[in-house]
Amino acid sequence: MRKQRTMIPRVDLLRHGQTEGGEIFRGQIDVPLSEAGRMQMANAVSNRTWTSIVTSPLVRCRDFAVDLAKNIDADCKVDERLKEYGFGDWDGQAVDQVLATSGELVQRFFDDPFSSRPPNGEDFRQFTDRVLLAWTAIVEHSASEEVLVITHGGVILSILADVLGRKQLHGRIDVPYACATSIYIGSEGLPHRLLQHGSAPFAPR
């Protein structure tokens, strides 16, 4: 039986660690974590436990989430809406190769992904909308659960843009491997607040 805890209205977000495959456009291509990546994520969560874990379905997030949930006796839910942005024809391709053939388009996309996208890439408004639908559902459970979300850099940036009241933060804020982000969930009309963001382990509650 789990001990009763004083709930803090906070949601923690963890980006996956380093993966196999090298420097590629890593959107919805399903590539596993490297051993170094698993160690990065284990270090990020070493000071904390959660009662609920919500994860992207992609293996670089899901496999670690399932193992962690078993180790800390937490519930684990897969949410398809937490997938990374779909890079279309660029997905899985070497970054240097795409830059060499489509450098101007890459630059336009990262400058303003709402106005430009990769060939056959996901519409960025639709990507943002699905992420924020998942985020809204997660926030609703944060009052009664200690929630960890295991997902991707683009997803975390979309959530941060919403929390900070920005149109978009892609290309403006770094989200390193195993980045630990904590967001205080405002109540009774108070805004959400960013508490932690970076490569250090999650701060203890």
Side-chain angles (χ1 to χ4, degrees):
M1 183 182 229
R2 292 177 183 151
K3 295 187 295 183
Q4 293 294 319
R5 304 180 187 181
T6 301
M7 293 296 177
I8 298 172
R10 185 167 101 183
V11 174
D12 296 315
L13 310 170
L14 177 65
R15 186 192 175 196
H16 64 79
Q18 182 187 75
T19 67
E20 303 290 350
E23 293 300 315
I24 61 176
F25 280 92
R26 194 174 287 102
Q28 296 180 4
I29 185 172
D30 224 358
V31 291
L33 289 171
S34 66
E35 187 58 35
R38 290 190 68 86
M39 292 178 64
Q40 289 168 339
M41 295 177 77
N43 180 64
V45 302
S46 60
N47 293 330
R48 292 283 307 285
T49 60
W50 294 264
T51 57
S52 180
I53 297 173
V54 187
T55 180
S56 160
L58 299 179
V59 295
R60 58 190 184 270
C61 299
R62 187 192 67 219
D63 287 359
F64 184 87
V66 169
D67 289 345
L68 177 62
K70 290 178 181 177
N71 289 338
I72 64 174
D73 189 27
D75 296 326
C76 186
K77 176 183 177 182
V78 175
D79 192 326
E80 293 284 335
R81 298 170 296 187
L82 293 174
K83 279 185 181 179
E84 182 59 285
Y85 174 79
F87 283 104
D89 293 355
W90 295 351
D91 217 339
Q93 300 300 309
V95 172
D96 287 349
Q97 180 180 341
V98 175
L99 287 173
T101 59
S102 307
E104 289 186 8
L105 180 55
V106 172
Q107 188 62 55
R108 289 201 303 273
F109 170 71
F110 282 104
D111 284 345
D112 186 2
F114 291 99
S115 300
S116 182
R117 57 172 152 165
N120 297 309
E122 186 174 8
D123 179 273
F124 204 78
R125 287 178 178 81
Q126 293 178 357
F127 165 68
T128 301
D129 287 347
R130 70 167 165 84
V131 168
L132 295 183
L133 282 173
W135 172 241
T136 298
I138 289 164
V139 167
E140 289 176 354
H141 288 89
S142 65
S144 59
E145 297 280 351
E146 295 177 2
V147 183
L148 172 66
V149 180
I150 299 182
T151 187
H152 309 271
V155 173
I156 291 170
L157 284 170
S158 290
I159 292 171
L160 285 177
D162 184 69
V163 168
L164 299 176
R166 298 288 299 273
K167 178 183 178 182
Q168 63 104 4
L169 292 174
H170 297 72
R172 275 84 172 165
I173 294 180
D174 189 30
V175 184
Y177 286 132
C179 182
T181 301
S182 295
I183 297 171
Y184 171 85
I185 304 303
S187 60
E188 298 180 358
L190 295 175
H192 302 335
R193 295 200 314 269
L194 179 61
L195 299 176
Q196 174 182 347
H197 179 79
S199 56
F202 285 106
R205 281 186 182 267

